[in-house]
Amino acid sequence: MASAACFSFSQTPMQNVLGRDCQSLNGKWSILTDVMNSGIQKKWGNPVKYDDPLKLNELHYDGGMTLDVPGDWNTQRPEFLYYEAPMWYKRTFNFKKENGRRYFLHFSAVSTNAQVFLNGELIGKHKGGFTPFQFEVGERLKEGNNIVVVRVDNIRGENTIPALKFDWWNYGGITRDVNLISTPETFIEDYWVRLDEGTMEKVLVDVKLNGRNCAGQKVKIKLGGTDIIKEIKTDTEGRAFISFKTSLELWSPENPHLYDVSIESPLDKVEDKIGFRCFEVKGTEIYLNGKPLFLRGVGTHEEIAHDRRRAFSEEDADFLVNEVIALGCNFVRLVHYPHNEYMVRKCEEKGLMMWEEIPIWQSINFKNSAVCDDITYMMKEMMHRDKNRCGIVIWAVSNETLPRIKERNDYLIKLVKQCKTWDNTRAISAATNALFYDETDSTKLVLQDPLADYLDIVGVNKYMGWYLKWKDAPDKTQWITHPDKPLIITEFGAEAVYANYGDGNNINSWSENYMERVYKDNIKSFNKIPNLRGTSPWHLFDFRSPRRAHAMYQQGWNRKGLISPEGNRKRAWYVMKDYYMEKEKNKE
Ligand code: GCB
């Protein structure tokens, strides 16, 4: 059985930051740009000031530019729009130590690499722009004023994740919250509360304490609104586990019920909202709480198109989730990286099932084993952070990576198997795209990817009518994926500029008419796929992407959004909405 304890990190980020005693370090941070990458050599992490009037103080952060944290740098100042280099952030904060407390500097995400200095000393590093990390800092904090400096870089490379090319704006900066968290000496570090695989009444709870007195402690679990109170005792390593049967109000899109769960140890107490549901794949069917279902989804980046920036707050999450729901969805594909916790929680609260993935996009260098180690780490970090979110029903390992690379196949197959040992309460998938016409039969599109053999649900991205021409009528075309497994069309679509009307038969019109036609054709084709159990059109809003350079129609935007940046719904939006209303009506 998988257990919360299976994830180990240099410093395991604690579960549920939002439920902790936090001093926010959000706000204005002073910055220095470092295009020449000389800050490390020049010790910019240690901004000392000499009093000697003849000693040069060239390193000086204050009185110059500042950036808001959380936030991306690209859109806060016009000169940083394409900035891809190190940037140094600095702020001071006041600290007053309380006896018997421990302190952690916690970053919800820094895009993409971070080196963190506290009071002049390097305290740690983190790779990857979309997952949290923390450092224990109690011993290094001073009473009164403290200085934290973070070197952030978002430089692309052959061995980075994502790699050199991708189709979105990979905003740089301290893009999510920063907190100084205070905990008791022995605190609740981690927990995992969920229903056991395939059941609707057997609850499993793992808890892990961290601290000198973590062994042999009593831990209480309470489910708010019920009389369920369970007590367990930790082992010598501070871990405890319990399973029990009870009757629960299950979480579903129609009734996204979340329990107020409290976990109490002698010194600590953490409260969380946790739902219970049973997600299963059997043959070609997907079931939620025993009922077969169709995933009515859409893909969305973590971006607020009208402000041209990364989304980072609860209000942003609310905005995006409302648009997903307005389309008639019960499912959302969070692309192409783990989104912020506000988003994940908001989706769950509003009844959206989620697909969550790591930024393994197309040209990742699987031939380098260090890159593969980074991927495994990112996957673990994502699953660790969100394991208590019952709304997440699918973990995805990759997007459109190439099956002709043997190392890719070997590694991803291994990763899929590993993910199943870490978590058996969700499906493992990937968005594949090696779907080609059969050489002898132009009515057949055949998936040729060995990874698909190992997936619980097969995801396929295919842009019929956009990147690939229909060779036959859409409703005559057969999609041969894995006929024995559920299929989700994880991407399809076309580009159009909102209110640009034109020839619906001409792809180069960039018109809403052509886009609408692509949607109608694809839906005709989908209606003939026997194992189709979900669709997720690409994409909710038009989104920013520096590689989209068409001078008239793109101008740095991928125009496949169903909604324009200003919030106007394109014709294809209505086609999709009708399709989903129909699906919902016929679900019984
Ligand atoms: C894809 C990618 C997605 C792109 C999209 C496109 O297959 O998965 O990231 O943005 O196609 O618009 O080409």
Side-chain angles (χ1 to χ4, degrees):
M1 177 188 305
S3 115
C6 63
F7 301 104
S8 66
F9 303 92
S10 42
Q11 283 208 23
T12 307
M14 65 186 78
Q15 196 57 226
N16 184 16
V17 177
L18 301 169
R20 308 281 176 162
D21 179 356
C22 292
Q23 175 181 344
S24 170
L25 299 184
N26 290 347
K28 298 236 177 274
W29 288 53
S30 303
I31 52 140
L32 298 178
T33 55
D34 188 10
V35 180
M36 297 291 167
N37 196 10
S38 51
I40 299 234
Q41 189 212 344
K42 293 194 158 185
K43 300 197 168 37
W44 287 8
N46 186 17
V48 279
K49 288 222 167 12
Y50 305 111
D51 291 333
D52 180 347
L54 295 179
K55 211 161 177 186
L56 176 67
N57 276 320
E58 193 183 0
L59 177 58
H60 193 88
Y61 281 89
D62 304 329
M65 287 188 287
T66 59
L67 285 173
D68 288 331
V69 171
D72 63 79
W73 62 53
N74 310 74
T75 52
Q76 293 193 48
R77 288 179 165 267
E79 64 268 41
F80 296 153
L81 184 64
Y82 292 107
Y83 192 82
E84 281 188 278
M87 177 86 79
W88 292 73
Y89 283 71
K90 181 213 150 202
R91 74 161 280 166
T92 53
F93 62 92
N94 235 305
F95 171 72
K96 195 165 165 9
K97 194 172 173 60
E98 274 177 61
N99 281 340
R101 304 291 291 179
R102 292 168 68 184
Y103 296 91
F104 298 85
L105 191 53
H106 183 281
F107 294 83
S108 293
V110 171
S111 177
T112 304
N113 301 305
Q115 293 192 23
V116 181
F117 300 80
L118 183 62
N119 295 325
E121 263 182 78
L122 178 67
I123 57 166
K125 300 182 182 181
H126 183 261
K127 242 193 234 179
F130 306 98
T131 38
F133 56 96
Q134 73 181 34
F135 306 108
E136 181 156 15
V137 292
E139 308 239 306
R140 296 168 194 267
L141 288 170
K142 297 186 296 192
E143 285 288 314
N145 217 26
N146 288 267
I147 303 174
V148 56
V149 171
V150 187
R151 177 190 184 274
V152 183
D153 87 62
N154 63 340
I155 302 167
R156 285 168 299 129
E158 205 184 310
N159 294 314
T160 59
I161 301 172
L164 282 167
K165 292 191 182 143
F166 40 84
D167 186 24
W168 71 87
W169 208 292
N170 210 31
Y171 297 102
I174 305 182
T175 45
R176 296 186 191 159
D177 297 334
V178 185
N179 283 294
L180 182 67
I181 303 174
S182 156
T183 71
E185 203 289 318
T186 296
F187 70 99
I188 300 161
E189 177 178 78
D190 199 9
Y191 52 86
W192 189 10
V193 183
R194 74 281 186 196
L195 274 177
D196 195 8
E197 180 193 15
T199 85
M200 284 180 243
E201 68 290 316
K202 187 172 167 204
V203 177
L204 308 184
V205 182
D206 278 276
V207 179
K208 162 116 179 30
L209 302 187
N210 176 321
R212 220 174 325 158
N213 298 317
C214 66
Q217 297 293 336
K218 272 195 197 144
V219 178
K220 237 189 240 170
I221 325 285
K222 288 190 197 158
L223 288 196
T226 74
D227 51 11
I228 298 169
I229 303 182
K230 298 281 167 189
E231 248 185 30
I232 37 179
K233 210 170 196 187
T234 57
D235 65 12
T236 50
E237 290 180 344
R239 296 174 207 283
F241 171 76
I242 190 171
S243 74
F244 55 90
K245 288 199 171 168
T246 183
S247 124
L248 291 161
E249 183 172 346
L250 297 177
W251 180 96
S252 68
E254 298 75 32
N255 176 31
H257 183 77
L258 299 174
Y259 285 88
D260 289 313
V261 174
S262 93
I263 300 166
E264 285 175 52
S265 65
L267 290 179
D268 201 7
K269 176 173 176 181
V270 184
E271 292 177 332
D272 205 344
K273 289 195 174 295
I274 295 183
F276 298 91
R277 54 92 187 118
C278 172
F279 185 80
E280 290 172 291
V281 173
K282 287 187 199 157
T284 60
E285 294 296 337
I286 296 175
Y287 296 88
L288 184 73
N289 303 332
K291 289 196 197 128
L293 89 165
F294 187 88
L295 298 170
R296 310 186 305 271
V298 67
T300 180
H301 274 290
E302 190 186 45
E303 184 177 73
I304 300 297
H306 58 257
D307 284 349
R308 307 170 166 223
R309 64 167 172 85
R310 256 271 175 272
F312 55 77
S313 64
E314 193 174 354
E315 294 71 45
D316 290 344
D318 214 36
F319 170 78
L320 290 170
V321 169
N322 286 343
E323 285 298 342
V324 173
I325 287 175
L327 185 63
C329 296
N330 60 6
F331 173 66
V332 60
R333 179 174 173 217
L334 301 176
V335 291
H336 276 306
Y337 36 76
H339 286 213
N340 62 69
E341 277 198 71
Y342 296 113
M343 182 66 181
V344 172
R345 284 176 180 269
K346 189 60 72 183
C347 288
E348 183 168 279
E349 183 191 311
K350 298 253 175 129
L352 288 173
M353 289 173 277
M354 285 166 270
W355 158 303
E356 201 175 33
E357 69 190 51
I358 47 175
I360 305 306
W361 194 93
Q362 290 188 2
S363 56
I364 295 291
N365 187 6
F366 291 100
K367 293 189 175 163
N368 180 338
S369 66
V371 172
C372 294
D373 290 347
D374 288 346
I375 301 173
T376 309
Y377 200 79
M378 277 184 194
M379 194 77 206
K380 264 171 44 169
E381 284 184 315
M382 174 176 80
M383 293 168 74
H384 167 72
R385 190 194 71 176
D386 288 338
K387 59 185 176 243
N388 286 299
R389 305 282 74 79
C390 73
I392 294 175
V393 292
I394 299 172
W395 302 120
V397 295
S398 66
N399 178 77
E400 299 191 352
T401 51
L402 295 177
R404 67 175 146 74
I405 298 171
K406 181 181 176 304
E407 290 83 351
R408 173 268 191 191
N409 299 338
D410 294 348
Y411 171 73
L412 285 183
I413 289 168
K414 201 171 91 194
L415 181 63
V416 167
K417 289 182 183 166
Q418 203 152 38
C419 289
K420 291 186 189 187
T421 69
W422 287 333
D423 183 358
N424 52 13
T425 67
R426 297 172 170 92
I428 310 296
S429 189
T432 65
N433 69 334
L435 185 84
F436 306 107
Y437 276 112
D438 184 303
E439 278 170 16
T440 56
D441 182 348
S442 66
T443 64
K444 284 190 179 143
L445 284 165
V446 186
L447 180 62
Q448 296 164 30
D449 189 337
L451 179 62
D453 298 349
Y454 297 85
L455 303 174
D456 298 320
I457 296 175
V458 177
V460 168
N461 296 353
K462 204 81 243 168
Y463 288 84
M464 298 306 297
W466 190 252
Y467 297 129
L468 196 63
K469 270 208 247 173
W470 295 101
K471 285 194 177 171
D472 232 301
D475 55 356
K476 298 270 168 341
T477 302
Q478 303 168 60
W479 300 59
I480 320 272
T481 55
H482 259 271
D484 55 333
K485 294 185 186 199
L487 168 71
I488 304 179
I489 304 290
T490 31
E491 286 179 30
F492 70 99
E495 293 195 49
V497 175
Y498 170 71
N500 178 32
Y501 302 111
D503 185 351
N505 293 318
N506 182 356
I507 190 170
N508 289 311
S509 65
W510 294 79
S511 64
E512 284 208 43
N513 311 65
Y514 187 79
M515 183 185 185
E516 182 182 27
R517 175 186 165 176
V518 166
Y519 270 73
K520 285 185 171 163
D521 284 349
N522 272 279
I523 286 172
K524 271 188 213 153
S525 196
F526 298 162
N527 285 335
K528 296 284 159 85
I529 306 178
N531 57 329
L532 187 71
R533 295 295 171 267
T535 50
S536 181
W538 192 251
H539 174 271
L540 184 61
F541 281 91
D542 287 354
F543 62 96
R544 304 180 72 220
S545 175
R547 71 193 259 172
R548 297 294 173 177
H550 190 295
M552 280 173 64
Y553 297 120
Q554 292 179 315
Q555 302 170 342
W557 290 86
N558 183 317
R559 298 287 182 193
K560 293 192 191 75
L562 290 165
I563 311 176
S564 76
E566 299 73 31
N568 297 305
R569 292 169 178 166
K570 300 181 192 172
R571 286 186 173 186
W573 186 95
Y574 295 92
V575 176
M576 211 55 219
K577 172 86 184 182
D578 287 349
Y579 176 64
Y580 281 164
M581 278 169 62
E582 200 56 30
K583 282 276 168 209
E584 177 152 37
K585 216 167 64 198
N586 299 330
K587 73 182 166 191
E588 294 313 320

